[in-house]
Amino acid sequence: MDLKLPPETDAALAREARRAGKPKATLLQSAVEAYLEERSDARAVRAARCQGGKPIPWSRVKRRD
């Protein structure tokens, strides 16, 4: 997969990769994984809210993905 970033974003990513001592691809992979996890959590929260207002333990909400 190829990803074209704006020059300023690419430069900031390169700086952060140097600071972290990791390849840019590793940072991008981590960022995408975090984004997908966040979206999954948001969907789980929305689904939990549809349960008629009954409190649901977070562990049960997380299993609904």
Side-chain angles (χ1 to χ4, degrees):
M1 176 170 117
D2 291 327
L3 178 64
K4 181 71 173 162
L5 297 172
E8 60 277 1
T9 302
D10 188 55
L13 179 60
R15 283 190 302 275
E16 188 57 35
R18 280 192 301 277
R19 285 185 196 120
K22 298 180 179 180
K24 292 191 300 184
T26 300
L27 297 184
L28 289 171
Q29 181 178 348
S30 295
V32 169
E33 289 169 354
Y35 171 80
L36 293 174
E37 178 71 18
E38 181 179 312
R39 297 304 306 150
S40 176
D41 289 350
R43 282 191 302 278
V45 168
R46 278 195 305 278
R49 287 181 179 161
C50 293
Q51 295 296 311
K54 291 191 250 177
I56 300 172
W58 183 244
S59 59
R60 194 167 132 214
V61 171
K62 290 289 287 178
R63 288 193 310 255
R64 291 175 177 226
D65 197 15

Short mmCIF file of all heavy atoms in Angstrom, two decimals:
data_model
loop_
_atom_site.label_atom_id
_atom_site.label_comp_id
_atom_site.label_asym_id
_atom_site.label_seq_id
_atom_site.Cartn_x
_atom_site.Cartn_y
_atom_site.Cartn_z
N MET A 1 0.84 -1.17 0.00
CA MET A 1 0.00 0.00 0.00
C MET A 1 0.89 1.24 0.00
O MET A 1 1.87 1.32 0.75
CB MET A 1 -0.88 -0.02 1.25
CG MET A 1 -1.73 1.19 1.40
SD MET A 1 -2.92 0.94 2.70
CE MET A 1 -2.41 2.19 3.81
N ASP A 2 0.56 2.17 -0.81
CA ASP A 2 1.28 3.44 -0.85
C ASP A 2 0.42 4.52 -0.20
O ASP A 2 -0.79 4.54 -0.36
CB ASP A 2 1.57 3.86 -2.30
CG ASP A 2 2.59 2.96 -2.96
OD1 ASP A 2 3.50 2.48 -2.25
OD2 ASP A 2 2.48 2.73 -4.17
N LEU A 3 1.10 5.39 0.52
CA LEU A 3 0.40 6.47 1.20
C LEU A 3 1.13 7.76 0.92
O LEU A 3 2.32 7.88 1.20
CB LEU A 3 0.36 6.21 2.72
CG LEU A 3 -0.29 7.26 3.59
CD1 LEU A 3 -1.78 7.38 3.26
CD2 LEU A 3 -0.10 6.92 5.04
N LYS A 4 0.42 8.73 0.36
CA LYS A 4 1.01 10.02 0.06
C LYS A 4 0.56 11.02 1.12
O LYS A 4 -0.63 11.28 1.29
CB LYS A 4 0.56 10.48 -1.33
CG LYS A 4 1.12 11.80 -1.76
CD LYS A 4 2.57 11.68 -2.07
CE LYS A 4 3.06 12.99 -2.66
NZ LYS A 4 4.48 13.11 -2.60
N LEU A 5 1.50 11.49 1.91
CA LEU A 5 1.20 12.47 2.95
C LEU A 5 1.63 13.85 2.49
O LEU A 5 2.61 13.99 1.75
CB LEU A 5 1.97 12.12 4.23
CG LEU A 5 1.62 10.80 4.90
CD1 LEU A 5 2.59 10.52 6.04
CD2 LEU A 5 0.20 10.82 5.41
N PRO A 6 0.96 14.88 2.98
CA PRO A 6 1.44 16.24 2.71
C PRO A 6 2.86 16.38 3.27
O PRO A 6 3.19 15.73 4.28
CB PRO A 6 0.46 17.13 3.48
CG PRO A 6 -0.76 16.29 3.70
CD PRO A 6 -0.27 14.88 3.77
N PRO A 7 3.69 17.18 2.62
CA PRO A 7 5.09 17.30 3.06
C PRO A 7 5.26 17.62 4.55
O PRO A 7 6.13 17.05 5.21
CB PRO A 7 5.64 18.43 2.19
CG PRO A 7 4.77 18.45 0.98
CD PRO A 7 3.41 18.01 1.46
N GLU A 8 4.43 18.51 5.09
CA GLU A 8 4.58 18.88 6.50
C GLU A 8 4.22 17.71 7.42
O GLU A 8 4.84 17.52 8.46
CB GLU A 8 3.77 20.13 6.85
CG GLU A 8 2.28 20.02 6.63
CD GLU A 8 1.80 20.29 5.20
OE1 GLU A 8 2.62 20.55 4.30
OE2 GLU A 8 0.58 20.22 4.99
N THR A 9 3.24 16.92 7.03
CA THR A 9 2.87 15.74 7.82
C THR A 9 3.97 14.68 7.74
O THR A 9 4.33 14.08 8.77
CB THR A 9 1.54 15.16 7.32
OG1 THR A 9 0.53 16.16 7.40
CG2 THR A 9 1.10 13.96 8.16
N ASP A 10 4.50 14.48 6.56
CA ASP A 10 5.58 13.52 6.39
C ASP A 10 6.81 13.93 7.21
O ASP A 10 7.46 13.08 7.84
CB ASP A 10 5.94 13.36 4.91
CG ASP A 10 6.93 12.24 4.69
OD1 ASP A 10 6.65 11.10 5.11
OD2 ASP A 10 7.99 12.51 4.09
N ALA A 11 7.11 15.22 7.22
CA ALA A 11 8.26 15.70 7.98
C ALA A 11 8.04 15.50 9.48
O ALA A 11 8.94 15.07 10.20
CB ALA A 11 8.52 17.18 7.67
N ALA A 12 6.83 15.79 9.95
CA ALA A 12 6.53 15.59 11.38
C ALA A 12 6.60 14.11 11.74
O ALA A 12 7.11 13.74 12.80
CB ALA A 12 5.14 16.15 11.70
N LEU A 13 6.12 13.26 10.85
CA LEU A 13 6.19 11.82 11.08
C LEU A 13 7.64 11.34 11.11
O LEU A 13 8.02 10.55 11.97
CB LEU A 13 5.41 11.08 10.00
CG LEU A 13 5.39 9.56 10.09
CD1 LEU A 13 4.78 9.07 11.39
CD2 LEU A 13 4.65 8.98 8.89
N ALA A 14 8.45 11.86 10.22
CA ALA A 14 9.87 11.49 10.18
C ALA A 14 10.57 11.91 11.48
O ALA A 14 11.37 11.15 12.04
CB ALA A 14 10.55 12.11 8.97
N ARG A 15 10.26 13.12 11.97
CA ARG A 15 10.85 13.59 13.23
C ARG A 15 10.45 12.68 14.38
O ARG A 15 11.29 12.28 15.19
CB ARG A 15 10.43 15.03 13.53
CG ARG A 15 11.15 16.08 12.73
CD ARG A 15 10.87 17.48 13.26
NE ARG A 15 9.46 17.83 13.27
CZ ARG A 15 8.78 18.32 12.23
NH1 ARG A 15 9.40 18.54 11.08
NH2 ARG A 15 7.51 18.62 12.33
N GLU A 16 9.17 12.34 14.44
CA GLU A 16 8.69 11.48 15.53
C GLU A 16 9.30 10.09 15.43
O GLU A 16 9.65 9.48 16.44
CB GLU A 16 7.16 11.40 15.52
CG GLU A 16 6.59 10.69 16.71
CD GLU A 16 7.00 11.29 18.05
OE1 GLU A 16 7.15 12.52 18.15
OE2 GLU A 16 7.17 10.52 19.01
N ALA A 17 9.46 9.58 14.23
CA ALA A 17 10.08 8.26 14.04
C ALA A 17 11.52 8.28 14.53
O ALA A 17 11.97 7.33 15.19
CB ALA A 17 10.00 7.85 12.56
N ARG A 18 12.24 9.35 14.23
CA ARG A 18 13.63 9.47 14.73
C ARG A 18 13.65 9.51 16.24
O ARG A 18 14.45 8.84 16.88
CB ARG A 18 14.31 10.71 14.15
CG ARG A 18 14.83 10.52 12.73
CD ARG A 18 15.74 11.66 12.30
NE ARG A 18 15.10 12.98 12.33
CZ ARG A 18 14.32 13.47 11.37
NH1 ARG A 18 14.08 12.77 10.28
NH2 ARG A 18 13.80 14.67 11.48
N ARG A 19 12.76 10.32 16.83
CA ARG A 19 12.70 10.42 18.30
C ARG A 19 12.39 9.07 18.94
O ARG A 19 12.94 8.73 19.98
CB ARG A 19 11.64 11.42 18.72
CG ARG A 19 12.01 12.85 18.53
CD ARG A 19 10.93 13.77 19.10
NE ARG A 19 11.12 15.10 18.57
CZ ARG A 19 10.23 15.77 17.84
NH1 ARG A 19 9.05 15.25 17.56
NH2 ARG A 19 10.50 16.97 17.41
N ALA A 20 11.47 8.32 18.31
CA ALA A 20 11.04 7.04 18.87
C ALA A 20 12.00 5.91 18.51
O ALA A 20 11.93 4.84 19.10
CB ALA A 20 9.64 6.70 18.36
N GLY A 21 12.88 6.16 17.54
CA GLY A 21 13.80 5.12 17.11
C GLY A 21 13.08 3.98 16.38
O GLY A 21 13.49 2.83 16.47
N LYS A 22 12.02 4.34 15.68
CA LYS A 22 11.22 3.35 14.96
C LYS A 22 10.99 3.82 13.53
O LYS A 22 11.02 5.02 13.26
CB LYS A 22 9.86 3.16 15.64
CG LYS A 22 9.96 2.64 17.05
CD LYS A 22 8.59 2.48 17.67
CE LYS A 22 8.73 1.93 19.08
NZ LYS A 22 7.44 1.75 19.72
N PRO A 23 10.73 2.89 12.64
CA PRO A 23 10.40 3.28 11.26
C PRO A 23 9.05 4.02 11.19
O PRO A 23 8.16 3.78 12.03
CB PRO A 23 10.31 1.95 10.50
CG PRO A 23 10.92 0.92 11.39
CD PRO A 23 10.81 1.44 12.80
N LYS A 24 8.93 4.88 10.20
CA LYS A 24 7.66 5.59 10.01
C LYS A 24 6.51 4.60 9.84
O LYS A 24 5.42 4.82 10.38
CB LYS A 24 7.73 6.52 8.80
CG LYS A 24 8.67 7.69 8.98
CD LYS A 24 8.53 8.74 7.88
CE LYS A 24 8.80 8.24 6.50
NZ LYS A 24 8.76 9.30 5.48
N ALA A 25 6.75 3.51 9.13
CA ALA A 25 5.69 2.53 8.89
C ALA A 25 5.16 1.94 10.20
O ALA A 25 3.96 1.69 10.33
CB ALA A 25 6.19 1.42 7.98
N THR A 26 6.03 1.75 11.17
CA THR A 26 5.61 1.22 12.46
C THR A 26 4.71 2.21 13.18
O THR A 26 3.68 1.82 13.77
CB THR A 26 6.83 0.88 13.33
OG1 THR A 26 7.61 -0.10 12.64
CG2 THR A 26 6.44 0.36 14.70
N LEU A 27 5.07 3.49 13.13
CA LEU A 27 4.22 4.51 13.76
C LEU A 27 2.87 4.60 13.07
O LEU A 27 1.83 4.73 13.73
CB LEU A 27 4.92 5.87 13.73
CG LEU A 27 6.22 5.98 14.52
CD1 LEU A 27 6.74 7.41 14.47
CD2 LEU A 27 6.06 5.51 15.94
N LEU A 28 2.88 4.53 11.74
CA LEU A 28 1.61 4.59 11.00
C LEU A 28 0.74 3.38 11.32
O LEU A 28 -0.47 3.51 11.50
CB LEU A 28 1.88 4.66 9.49
CG LEU A 28 2.45 5.99 9.00
CD1 LEU A 28 2.87 5.87 7.55
CD2 LEU A 28 1.42 7.10 9.18
N GLN A 29 1.34 2.21 11.40
CA GLN A 29 0.58 1.01 11.72
C GLN A 29 -0.05 1.15 13.11
O GLN A 29 -1.24 0.83 13.29
CB GLN A 29 1.46 -0.22 11.67
CG GLN A 29 0.70 -1.50 11.99
CD GLN A 29 1.58 -2.74 11.88
OE1 GLN A 29 2.68 -2.70 11.37
NE2 GLN A 29 1.08 -3.85 12.39
N SER A 30 0.70 1.62 14.07
CA SER A 30 0.17 1.82 15.42
C SER A 30 -0.97 2.83 15.42
O SER A 30 -1.97 2.64 16.12
CB SER A 30 1.27 2.29 16.37
OG SER A 30 2.24 1.29 16.52
N ALA A 31 -0.82 3.90 14.65
CA ALA A 31 -1.85 4.93 14.59
C ALA A 31 -3.14 4.38 13.97
O ALA A 31 -4.24 4.66 14.47
CB ALA A 31 -1.35 6.12 13.79
N VAL A 32 -3.02 3.59 12.92
CA VAL A 32 -4.20 3.01 12.29
C VAL A 32 -4.87 2.02 13.24
O VAL A 32 -6.09 2.02 13.38
CB VAL A 32 -3.83 2.33 10.95
CG1 VAL A 32 -4.98 1.50 10.41
CG2 VAL A 32 -3.41 3.38 9.92
N GLU A 33 -4.09 1.20 13.91
CA GLU A 33 -4.66 0.25 14.87
C GLU A 33 -5.39 0.98 15.99
O GLU A 33 -6.49 0.57 16.39
CB GLU A 33 -3.56 -0.65 15.44
CG GLU A 33 -3.04 -1.65 14.43
CD GLU A 33 -1.78 -2.37 14.88
OE1 GLU A 33 -1.23 -2.01 15.96
OE2 GLU A 33 -1.36 -3.28 14.16
N ALA A 34 -4.81 2.07 16.49
CA ALA A 34 -5.46 2.84 17.56
C ALA A 34 -6.76 3.46 17.06
O ALA A 34 -7.78 3.46 17.77
CB ALA A 34 -4.52 3.93 18.07
N TYR A 35 -6.75 3.97 15.83
CA TYR A 35 -7.96 4.56 15.25
C TYR A 35 -9.05 3.50 15.12
O TYR A 35 -10.21 3.75 15.49
CB TYR A 35 -7.64 5.15 13.88
CG TYR A 35 -8.89 5.57 13.13
CD1 TYR A 35 -9.50 6.78 13.43
CD2 TYR A 35 -9.45 4.77 12.16
CE1 TYR A 35 -10.66 7.17 12.77
CE2 TYR A 35 -10.60 5.14 11.49
CZ TYR A 35 -11.20 6.34 11.80
OH TYR A 35 -12.35 6.71 11.15
N LEU A 36 -8.71 2.32 14.62
CA LEU A 36 -9.71 1.27 14.45
C LEU A 36 -10.27 0.80 15.79
O LEU A 36 -11.47 0.54 15.91
CB LEU A 36 -9.10 0.09 13.67
CG LEU A 36 -8.75 0.40 12.22
CD1 LEU A 36 -8.02 -0.78 11.59
CD2 LEU A 36 -9.98 0.77 11.41
N GLU A 37 -9.42 0.72 16.80
CA GLU A 37 -9.88 0.35 18.14
C GLU A 37 -10.83 1.41 18.69
O GLU A 37 -11.87 1.08 19.28
CB GLU A 37 -8.68 0.17 19.08
CG GLU A 37 -9.05 -0.18 20.49
CD GLU A 37 -9.59 -1.58 20.68
OE1 GLU A 37 -9.39 -2.43 19.79
OE2 GLU A 37 -10.22 -1.83 21.72
N GLU A 38 -10.49 2.67 18.47
CA GLU A 38 -11.35 3.77 18.94
C GLU A 38 -12.72 3.71 18.26
O GLU A 38 -13.75 3.89 18.90
CB GLU A 38 -10.67 5.11 18.66
CG GLU A 38 -11.47 6.31 19.12
CD GLU A 38 -10.74 7.61 18.83
OE1 GLU A 38 -9.55 7.71 19.14
OE2 GLU A 38 -11.39 8.50 18.27
N ARG A 39 -12.74 3.46 16.96
CA ARG A 39 -14.00 3.37 16.23
C ARG A 39 -14.82 2.18 16.73
O ARG A 39 -16.04 2.27 16.87
CB ARG A 39 -13.76 3.24 14.72
CG ARG A 39 -13.05 4.45 14.10
CD ARG A 39 -13.75 5.77 14.34
NE ARG A 39 -15.14 5.69 13.89
CZ ARG A 39 -16.14 6.37 14.44
NH1 ARG A 39 -15.92 7.20 15.42
NH2 ARG A 39 -17.36 6.24 13.99
N SER A 40 -14.15 1.07 17.00
CA SER A 40 -14.83 -0.10 17.53
C SER A 40 -15.45 0.21 18.89
O SER A 40 -16.60 -0.16 19.17
CB SER A 40 -13.85 -1.27 17.64
OG SER A 40 -14.45 -2.38 18.24
N ASP A 41 -14.69 0.90 19.73
CA ASP A 41 -15.21 1.30 21.05
C ASP A 41 -16.42 2.21 20.90
O ASP A 41 -17.41 2.06 21.62
CB ASP A 41 -14.13 2.01 21.85
CG ASP A 41 -13.03 1.09 22.33
OD1 ASP A 41 -13.18 -0.15 22.20
OD2 ASP A 41 -12.01 1.61 22.82
N ALA A 42 -16.36 3.15 19.96
CA ALA A 42 -17.48 4.08 19.75
C ALA A 42 -18.73 3.32 19.31
O ALA A 42 -19.84 3.61 19.77
CB ALA A 42 -17.10 5.14 18.73
N ARG A 43 -18.57 2.33 18.41
CA ARG A 43 -19.71 1.53 17.99
C ARG A 43 -20.29 0.75 19.17
O ARG A 43 -21.50 0.64 19.31
CB ARG A 43 -19.31 0.57 16.87
CG ARG A 43 -19.20 1.24 15.51
CD ARG A 43 -19.06 0.22 14.39
NE ARG A 43 -17.89 -0.65 14.55
CZ ARG A 43 -16.65 -0.33 14.19
NH1 ARG A 43 -16.40 0.84 13.64
NH2 ARG A 43 -15.65 -1.18 14.36
N ALA A 44 -19.42 0.21 20.01
CA ALA A 44 -19.88 -0.54 21.18
C ALA A 44 -20.65 0.35 22.14
O ALA A 44 -21.68 -0.06 22.69
CB ALA A 44 -18.69 -1.19 21.88
N VAL A 45 -20.20 1.57 22.33
CA VAL A 45 -20.90 2.50 23.21
C VAL A 45 -22.26 2.85 22.63
O VAL A 45 -23.26 2.86 23.36
CB VAL A 45 -20.05 3.77 23.46
CG1 VAL A 45 -20.87 4.87 24.12
CG2 VAL A 45 -18.83 3.44 24.29
N ARG A 46 -22.32 3.11 21.32
CA ARG A 46 -23.61 3.40 20.69
C ARG A 46 -24.57 2.23 20.85
O ARG A 46 -25.75 2.41 21.15
CB ARG A 46 -23.43 3.75 19.21
CG ARG A 46 -23.02 5.19 18.98
CD ARG A 46 -23.19 5.61 17.54
NE ARG A 46 -22.50 4.75 16.60
CZ ARG A 46 -21.21 4.83 16.28
NH1 ARG A 46 -20.46 5.76 16.84
NH2 ARG A 46 -20.66 4.01 15.41
N ALA A 47 -24.08 1.01 20.65
CA ALA A 47 -24.93 -0.17 20.80
C ALA A 47 -25.41 -0.30 22.24
O ALA A 47 -26.58 -0.65 22.48
CB ALA A 47 -24.16 -1.41 20.37
N ALA A 48 -24.54 -0.04 23.19
CA ALA A 48 -24.91 -0.15 24.60
C ALA A 48 -25.99 0.87 24.97
O ALA A 48 -26.87 0.57 25.78
CB ALA A 48 -23.68 0.04 25.48
N ARG A 49 -25.93 2.04 24.37
CA ARG A 49 -26.93 3.07 24.67
C ARG A 49 -28.31 2.66 24.19
O ARG A 49 -29.31 3.20 24.65
CB ARG A 49 -26.52 4.40 24.03
CG ARG A 49 -25.37 5.04 24.74
CD ARG A 49 -25.00 6.36 24.09
NE ARG A 49 -23.91 6.98 24.81
CZ ARG A 49 -23.13 7.91 24.30
NH1 ARG A 49 -23.33 8.35 23.07
NH2 ARG A 49 -22.15 8.42 25.00
N CYS A 50 -28.38 1.74 23.26
CA CYS A 50 -29.67 1.28 22.72
C CYS A 50 -30.31 0.22 23.60
O CYS A 50 -31.32 -0.35 23.24
CB CYS A 50 -29.47 0.74 21.31
SG CYS A 50 -28.99 1.99 20.12
N GLN A 51 -29.75 -0.05 24.74
CA GLN A 51 -30.25 -1.10 25.63
C GLN A 51 -31.27 -0.55 26.63
O GLN A 51 -31.42 -1.10 27.71
CB GLN A 51 -29.09 -1.75 26.39
CG GLN A 51 -28.13 -2.50 25.50
CD GLN A 51 -28.81 -3.67 24.82
OE1 GLN A 51 -29.48 -4.45 25.46
NE2 GLN A 51 -28.65 -3.77 23.52
N GLY A 52 -31.94 0.51 26.29
CA GLY A 52 -32.98 1.04 27.16
C GLY A 52 -32.47 1.72 28.41
O GLY A 52 -33.17 1.80 29.40
N GLY A 53 -31.25 2.19 28.40
CA GLY A 53 -30.70 2.92 29.52
C GLY A 53 -30.18 2.06 30.65
O GLY A 53 -29.76 2.57 31.67
N LYS A 54 -30.23 0.74 30.49
CA LYS A 54 -29.71 -0.14 31.54
C LYS A 54 -28.18 -0.09 31.55
O LYS A 54 -27.56 -0.18 30.50
CB LYS A 54 -30.14 -1.58 31.30
CG LYS A 54 -31.60 -1.82 31.50
CD LYS A 54 -31.86 -3.31 31.49
CE LYS A 54 -32.59 -3.70 30.24
NZ LYS A 54 -32.83 -5.12 30.10
N PRO A 55 -27.57 0.04 32.73
CA PRO A 55 -26.10 0.00 32.78
C PRO A 55 -25.59 -1.37 32.32
O PRO A 55 -26.15 -2.40 32.66
CB PRO A 55 -25.77 0.23 34.24
CG PRO A 55 -27.01 0.82 34.83
CD PRO A 55 -28.15 0.30 34.03
N ILE A 56 -24.53 -1.34 31.53
CA ILE A 56 -23.91 -2.56 31.04
C ILE A 56 -22.43 -2.49 31.39
O ILE A 56 -21.78 -1.49 31.10
CB ILE A 56 -24.07 -2.68 29.50
CG1 ILE A 56 -25.55 -2.72 29.13
CG2 ILE A 56 -23.35 -3.92 28.98
CD1 ILE A 56 -25.80 -2.64 27.65
N PRO A 57 -21.88 -3.52 31.99
CA PRO A 57 -20.44 -3.51 32.31
C PRO A 57 -19.61 -3.33 31.04
O PRO A 57 -19.94 -3.87 29.98
CB PRO A 57 -20.19 -4.89 32.92
CG PRO A 57 -21.53 -5.40 33.33
CD PRO A 57 -22.53 -4.77 32.41
N TRP A 58 -18.56 -2.56 31.15
CA TRP A 58 -17.70 -2.27 30.00
C TRP A 58 -17.17 -3.56 29.36
O TRP A 58 -17.09 -3.66 28.14
CB TRP A 58 -16.55 -1.36 30.39
CG TRP A 58 -15.69 -0.98 29.22
CD1 TRP A 58 -14.39 -1.31 29.03
CD2 TRP A 58 -16.07 -0.23 28.06
NE1 TRP A 58 -13.93 -0.81 27.83
CE2 TRP A 58 -14.95 -0.15 27.22
CE3 TRP A 58 -17.25 0.37 27.64
CZ2 TRP A 58 -14.97 0.51 25.99
CZ3 TRP A 58 -17.27 1.02 26.42
CH2 TRP A 58 -16.15 1.09 25.62
N SER A 59 -16.85 -4.55 30.16
CA SER A 59 -16.34 -5.81 29.60
C SER A 59 -17.37 -6.45 28.67
O SER A 59 -17.01 -7.02 27.64
CB SER A 59 -15.96 -6.78 30.72
OG SER A 59 -17.09 -7.06 31.53
N ARG A 60 -18.62 -6.32 28.99
CA ARG A 60 -19.67 -6.87 28.13
C ARG A 60 -19.86 -6.01 26.88
O ARG A 60 -20.07 -6.53 25.78
CB ARG A 60 -20.98 -6.95 28.90
CG ARG A 60 -21.99 -7.82 28.20
CD ARG A 60 -23.16 -8.14 29.12
NE ARG A 60 -24.36 -7.88 28.35
CZ ARG A 60 -25.48 -7.42 28.85
NH1 ARG A 60 -25.57 -7.18 30.13
NH2 ARG A 60 -26.50 -7.22 28.08
N VAL A 61 -19.76 -4.71 27.03
CA VAL A 61 -19.86 -3.81 25.88
C VAL A 61 -18.76 -4.12 24.88
O VAL A 61 -19.00 -4.21 23.68
CB VAL A 61 -19.77 -2.33 26.33
CG1 VAL A 61 -19.66 -1.39 25.14
CG2 VAL A 61 -20.98 -1.96 27.18
N LYS A 62 -17.53 -4.32 25.37
CA LYS A 62 -16.39 -4.58 24.49
C LYS A 62 -16.55 -5.87 23.69
O LYS A 62 -16.01 -6.01 22.62
CB LYS A 62 -15.09 -4.65 25.30
CG LYS A 62 -14.63 -3.33 25.86
CD LYS A 62 -14.13 -2.44 24.77
CE LYS A 62 -12.79 -2.93 24.29
NZ LYS A 62 -12.23 -2.18 23.22
N ARG A 63 -17.30 -6.84 24.20
CA ARG A 63 -17.48 -8.11 23.49
C ARG A 63 -18.45 -7.98 22.33
O ARG A 63 -18.57 -8.89 21.54
CB ARG A 63 -18.02 -9.17 24.45
CG ARG A 63 -17.02 -9.65 25.46
CD ARG A 63 -17.51 -10.90 26.17
NE ARG A 63 -18.86 -10.76 26.69
CZ ARG A 63 -19.17 -10.59 27.98
NH1 ARG A 63 -18.23 -10.52 28.87
NH2 ARG A 63 -20.42 -10.48 28.37
N ARG A 64 -19.14 -6.87 22.20
CA ARG A 64 -20.19 -6.73 21.19
C ARG A 64 -19.66 -6.37 19.81
O ARG A 64 -20.45 -6.21 18.90
CB ARG A 64 -21.17 -5.66 21.61
CG ARG A 64 -21.97 -6.10 22.78
CD ARG A 64 -22.83 -4.97 23.23
NE ARG A 64 -23.62 -5.47 24.32
CZ ARG A 64 -24.92 -5.27 24.42
NH1 ARG A 64 -25.55 -4.57 23.54
NH2 ARG A 64 -25.57 -5.77 25.42
N ASP A 65 -18.42 -6.22 19.58
CA ASP A 65 -17.89 -5.80 18.28
C ASP A 65 -18.13 -6.76 17.21
O ASP A 65 -18.53 -7.65 16.88
CB ASP A 65 -16.39 -5.55 18.40
CG ASP A 65 -15.86 -4.76 17.25
OD1 ASP A 65 -16.66 -4.16 16.52
OD2 ASP A 65 -14.65 -4.73 17.10
#
